mmCIF file of all heavy atoms in Angstrom:
data_model
loop_
_atom_site.group_PDB
_atom_site.id
_atom_site.type_symbol
_atom_site.label_atom_id
_atom_site.label_comp_id
_atom_site.label_asym_id
_atom_site.label_seq_id
_atom_site.Cartn_x
_atom_site.Cartn_y
_atom_site.Cartn_z
ATOM 1 N N THR P 288 3.960 -15.619 -15.418
ATOM 2 C CA THR P 288 2.992 -16.663 -15.045
ATOM 3 C C THR P 288 3.073 -17.907 -15.922
ATOM 4 O O THR P 288 2.677 -18.991 -15.505
ATOM 5 C CB THR P 288 1.557 -16.091 -15.103
ATOM 6 O OG1 THR P 288 1.316 -15.554 -16.415
ATOM 7 C CG2 THR P 288 1.369 -14.995 -14.074
ATOM 8 N N GLU P 289 3.566 -17.743 -17.154
ATOM 9 C CA GLU P 289 3.675 -18.901 -18.036
ATOM 10 C C GLU P 289 4.925 -19.726 -17.703
ATOM 11 O O GLU P 289 4.951 -20.940 -17.913
ATOM 12 C CB GLU P 289 3.735 -18.441 -19.510
ATOM 13 C CG GLU P 289 2.518 -17.660 -19.973
ATOM 14 C CD GLU P 289 1.249 -18.481 -19.908
ATOM 15 O OE1 GLU P 289 1.336 -19.718 -20.085
ATOM 16 O OE2 GLU P 289 0.169 -17.902 -19.697
ATOM 17 N N HIS P 290 5.928 -19.064 -17.198
ATOM 18 C CA HIS P 290 7.197 -19.752 -16.905
ATOM 19 C C HIS P 290 7.146 -20.470 -15.558
ATOM 20 O O HIS P 290 7.691 -21.566 -15.411
ATOM 21 C CB HIS P 290 8.340 -18.732 -16.917
ATOM 22 C CG HIS P 290 9.697 -19.342 -16.760
ATOM 23 N ND1 HIS P 290 10.273 -20.154 -17.720
ATOM 24 C CD2 HIS P 290 10.602 -19.263 -15.733
ATOM 25 C CE1 HIS P 290 11.457 -20.556 -17.309
ATOM 26 N NE2 HIS P 290 11.695 -20.029 -16.115
ATOM 27 N N TYR P 291 6.502 -19.839 -14.578
ATOM 28 C CA TYR P 291 6.374 -20.450 -13.253
ATOM 29 C C TYR P 291 4.898 -20.747 -12.976
ATOM 30 O O TYR P 291 4.043 -19.897 -13.230
ATOM 31 C CB TYR P 291 6.897 -19.506 -12.159
ATOM 32 C CG TYR P 291 8.348 -19.114 -12.319
ATOM 33 C CD1 TYR P 291 8.696 -17.845 -12.768
ATOM 34 C CD2 TYR P 291 9.370 -20.011 -12.004
ATOM 35 C CE1 TYR P 291 10.024 -17.462 -12.904
ATOM 36 C CE2 TYR P 291 10.708 -19.646 -12.132
ATOM 37 C CZ TYR P 291 11.029 -18.376 -12.588
ATOM 38 O OH TYR P 291 12.347 -18.016 -12.725
ATOM 39 N N ASP P 292 4.599 -21.955 -12.481
ATOM 40 C CA ASP P 292 3.200 -22.316 -12.220
ATOM 41 C C ASP P 292 2.907 -22.549 -10.733
ATOM 42 O O ASP P 292 1.856 -23.071 -10.376
ATOM 43 C CB ASP P 292 2.800 -23.552 -13.022
ATOM 44 C CG ASP P 292 3.594 -24.799 -12.626
ATOM 45 O OD1 ASP P 292 4.481 -24.690 -11.749
ATOM 46 O OD2 ASP P 292 3.334 -25.872 -13.186
ATOM 47 N N ALA P 293 3.843 -22.147 -9.882
ATOM 48 C CA ALA P 293 3.641 -22.351 -8.441
ATOM 49 C C ALA P 293 2.417 -21.599 -7.938
ATOM 50 O O ALA P 293 1.814 -21.974 -6.927
ATOM 51 C CB ALA P 293 4.879 -21.894 -7.668
ATOM 52 N N TRP P 294 1.998 -20.554 -8.642
ATOM 53 C CA TRP P 294 0.859 -19.738 -8.212
ATOM 54 C C TRP P 294 -0.461 -20.495 -8.278
ATOM 55 O O TRP P 294 -1.422 -20.145 -7.612
ATOM 56 C CB TRP P 294 0.762 -18.472 -9.070
ATOM 57 C CG TRP P 294 0.663 -18.737 -10.548
ATOM 58 C CD1 TRP P 294 1.691 -18.870 -11.422
ATOM 59 C CD2 TRP P 294 -0.535 -18.912 -11.303
ATOM 60 N NE1 TRP P 294 1.230 -19.121 -12.693
ATOM 61 C CE2 TRP P 294 -0.141 -19.148 -12.651
ATOM 62 C CE3 TRP P 294 -1.889 -18.904 -11.000
ATOM 63 C CZ2 TRP P 294 -1.064 -19.373 -13.670
ATOM 64 C CZ3 TRP P 294 -2.812 -19.119 -12.007
ATOM 65 C CH2 TRP P 294 -2.396 -19.350 -13.328
ATOM 66 N N ARG P 295 -0.523 -21.551 -9.122
ATOM 67 C CA ARG P 295 -1.797 -22.266 -9.272
ATOM 68 C C ARG P 295 -1.785 -23.711 -8.768
ATOM 69 O O ARG P 295 -2.844 -24.317 -8.610
ATOM 70 C CB ARG P 295 -2.245 -22.252 -10.729
ATOM 71 C CG ARG P 295 -1.341 -22.991 -11.690
ATOM 72 C CD ARG P 295 -1.925 -22.945 -13.108
ATOM 73 N NE ARG P 295 -1.017 -23.501 -14.096
ATOM 74 C CZ ARG P 295 -0.880 -24.801 -14.356
ATOM 75 N NH1 ARG P 295 -1.611 -25.682 -13.686
ATOM 76 N NH2 ARG P 295 -0.027 -25.221 -15.261
ATOM 77 N N VAL P 296 -0.619 -24.239 -8.490
ATOM 78 C CA VAL P 296 -0.521 -25.639 -8.061
ATOM 79 C C VAL P 296 -0.243 -25.691 -6.561
ATOM 80 O O VAL P 296 0.749 -25.143 -6.085
ATOM 81 C CB VAL P 296 0.590 -26.375 -8.839
ATOM 82 C CG1 VAL P 296 0.671 -27.836 -8.382
ATOM 83 C CG2 VAL P 296 0.343 -26.288 -10.336
ATOM 84 N N CYS P 297 -1.129 -26.358 -5.838
ATOM 85 C CA CYS P 297 -0.977 -26.455 -4.380
ATOM 86 C C CYS P 297 0.296 -27.208 -4.006
ATOM 87 O O CYS P 297 0.628 -28.222 -4.623
ATOM 88 C CB CYS P 297 -2.184 -27.188 -3.781
ATOM 89 S SG CYS P 297 -3.713 -26.259 -3.879
ATOM 90 N N GLY P 298 0.981 -26.723 -3.001
ATOM 91 C CA GLY P 298 2.161 -27.408 -2.482
ATOM 92 C C GLY P 298 3.413 -27.218 -3.304
ATOM 93 O O GLY P 298 4.447 -27.817 -3.004
ATOM 94 N N SER P 299 3.353 -26.392 -4.350
ATOM 95 C CA SER P 299 4.543 -26.171 -5.182
ATOM 96 C C SER P 299 5.594 -25.349 -4.425
ATOM 97 O O SER P 299 5.247 -24.512 -3.593
ATOM 98 C CB SER P 299 4.167 -25.422 -6.476
ATOM 99 O OG SER P 299 3.319 -26.214 -7.263
ATOM 100 N N VAL P 300 6.844 -25.617 -4.748
ATOM 101 C CA VAL P 300 7.926 -24.835 -4.155
ATOM 102 C C VAL P 300 8.009 -23.501 -4.890
ATOM 103 O O VAL P 300 8.062 -23.460 -6.125
ATOM 104 C CB VAL P 300 9.275 -25.588 -4.279
ATOM 105 C CG1 VAL P 300 10.409 -24.732 -3.732
ATOM 106 C CG2 VAL P 300 9.195 -26.926 -3.555
ATOM 107 N N HIS P 301 8.001 -22.424 -4.144
ATOM 108 C CA HIS P 301 8.037 -21.106 -4.767
ATOM 109 C C HIS P 301 9.404 -20.843 -5.404
ATOM 110 O O HIS P 301 10.445 -21.202 -4.841
ATOM 111 C CB HIS P 301 7.749 -20.015 -3.727
ATOM 112 C CG HIS P 301 6.289 -19.899 -3.393
ATOM 113 N ND1 HIS P 301 5.323 -20.692 -3.964
ATOM 114 C CD2 HIS P 301 5.618 -19.061 -2.544
ATOM 115 C CE1 HIS P 301 4.131 -20.364 -3.499
ATOM 116 N NE2 HIS P 301 4.288 -19.374 -2.617
ATOM 117 N N PRO P 302 9.408 -20.217 -6.569
ATOM 118 C CA PRO P 302 10.688 -19.898 -7.229
ATOM 119 C C PRO P 302 11.445 -18.814 -6.467
ATOM 120 O O PRO P 302 10.890 -18.164 -5.574
ATOM 121 C CB PRO P 302 10.244 -19.378 -8.606
ATOM 122 C CG PRO P 302 8.848 -18.871 -8.390
ATOM 123 C CD PRO P 302 8.246 -19.768 -7.343
ATOM 124 N N LYS P 303 12.697 -18.626 -6.855
ATOM 125 C CA LYS P 303 13.513 -17.604 -6.201
ATOM 126 C C LYS P 303 13.520 -16.323 -7.036
ATOM 127 O O LYS P 303 13.401 -16.363 -8.263
ATOM 128 C CB LYS P 303 14.947 -18.112 -6.010
ATOM 129 C CG LYS P 303 15.060 -19.238 -5.001
ATOM 130 C CD LYS P 303 16.514 -19.632 -4.752
ATOM 131 C CE LYS P 303 16.602 -20.717 -3.684
ATOM 132 N NZ LYS P 303 18.019 -21.087 -3.386
ATOM 133 N N ASN P 304 13.676 -15.223 -6.347
ATOM 134 C CA ASN P 304 13.757 -13.936 -7.044
ATOM 135 C C ASN P 304 15.218 -13.594 -7.331
ATOM 136 O O ASN P 304 16.128 -14.369 -7.019
ATOM 137 C CB ASN P 304 13.074 -12.835 -6.229
ATOM 138 C CG ASN P 304 13.677 -12.684 -4.833
ATOM 139 O OD1 ASN P 304 14.864 -12.932 -4.623
ATOM 140 N ND2 ASN P 304 12.858 -12.292 -3.864
ATOM 141 N N GLU P 305 15.451 -12.415 -7.900
ATOM 142 C CA GLU P 305 16.804 -12.018 -8.282
ATOM 143 C C GLU P 305 17.710 -11.773 -7.095
ATOM 144 O O GLU P 305 18.933 -11.679 -7.241
ATOM 145 C CB GLU P 305 16.736 -10.738 -9.127
ATOM 146 C CG GLU P 305 16.116 -9.555 -8.403
ATOM 147 C CD GLU P 305 15.894 -8.358 -9.304
ATOM 148 O OE1 GLU P 305 15.898 -8.521 -10.543
ATOM 149 O OE2 GLU P 305 15.721 -7.253 -8.780
ATOM 150 N N LEU P 306 17.131 -11.727 -5.889
ATOM 151 C CA LEU P 306 17.939 -11.556 -4.682
ATOM 152 C C LEU P 306 18.417 -12.888 -4.125
ATOM 153 O O LEU P 306 19.124 -12.937 -3.124
ATOM 154 C CB LEU P 306 17.115 -10.825 -3.609
ATOM 155 C CG LEU P 306 16.571 -9.444 -3.993
ATOM 156 C CD1 LEU P 306 15.667 -8.896 -2.881
ATOM 157 C CD2 LEU P 306 17.711 -8.478 -4.286
ATOM 158 N N GLY P 307 17.971 -13.983 -4.792
ATOM 159 C CA GLY P 307 18.367 -15.306 -4.352
ATOM 160 C C GLY P 307 17.478 -15.859 -3.248
ATOM 161 O O GLY P 307 17.776 -16.905 -2.668
ATOM 162 N N GLU P 308 16.385 -15.186 -2.948
ATOM 163 C CA GLU P 308 15.461 -15.623 -1.905
ATOM 164 C C GLU P 308 14.196 -16.191 -2.539
ATOM 165 O O GLU P 308 13.801 -15.784 -3.638
ATOM 166 C CB GLU P 308 15.065 -14.450 -1.000
ATOM 167 C CG GLU P 308 16.222 -13.724 -0.356
ATOM 168 C CD GLU P 308 15.751 -12.515 0.448
ATOM 169 O OE1 GLU P 308 14.517 -12.368 0.636
ATOM 170 O OE2 GLU P 308 16.595 -11.706 0.860
ATOM 171 N N ALA P 309 13.578 -17.151 -1.854
ATOM 172 C CA ALA P 309 12.269 -17.627 -2.297
ATOM 173 C C ALA P 309 11.278 -16.464 -2.221
ATOM 174 O O ALA P 309 11.281 -15.707 -1.252
ATOM 175 C CB ALA P 309 11.802 -18.779 -1.421
ATOM 176 N N VAL P 310 10.473 -16.324 -3.257
ATOM 177 C CA VAL P 310 9.541 -15.191 -3.290
ATOM 178 C C VAL P 310 8.591 -15.252 -2.095
ATOM 179 O O VAL P 310 8.209 -16.327 -1.631
ATOM 180 C CB VAL P 310 8.728 -15.174 -4.594
ATOM 181 C CG1 VAL P 310 9.601 -14.881 -5.781
ATOM 182 C CG2 VAL P 310 7.955 -16.478 -4.782
ATOM 183 N N SER P 311 8.218 -14.080 -1.613
ATOM 184 C CA SER P 311 7.232 -14.001 -0.534
ATOM 185 C C SER P 311 5.883 -14.434 -1.079
ATOM 186 O O SER P 311 5.433 -13.948 -2.121
ATOM 187 C CB SER P 311 7.154 -12.561 -0.005
ATOM 188 O OG SER P 311 5.992 -12.373 0.767
ATOM 189 N N ASP P 312 5.220 -15.341 -0.391
ATOM 190 C CA ASP P 312 3.938 -15.857 -0.883
ATOM 191 C C ASP P 312 2.910 -14.746 -1.026
ATOM 192 O O ASP P 312 2.146 -14.712 -1.991
ATOM 193 C CB ASP P 312 3.405 -16.940 0.067
ATOM 194 C CG ASP P 312 2.105 -17.521 -0.432
ATOM 195 O OD1 ASP P 312 2.112 -18.141 -1.510
ATOM 196 O OD2 ASP P 312 1.062 -17.325 0.235
#
Side-chain angles (χ1 to χ4, degrees):
T288 56
E289 300 298 329
H290 186 67
Y291 301 105
D292 63 358
W294 56 271
R295 65 178 173 82
V296 180
C297 291
S299 295
V300 177
H301 282 0
K303 292 185 177 182
N304 58 31
E305 61 187 18
L306 302 175
E308 304 176 9
V310 293
S311 164
D312 182 64

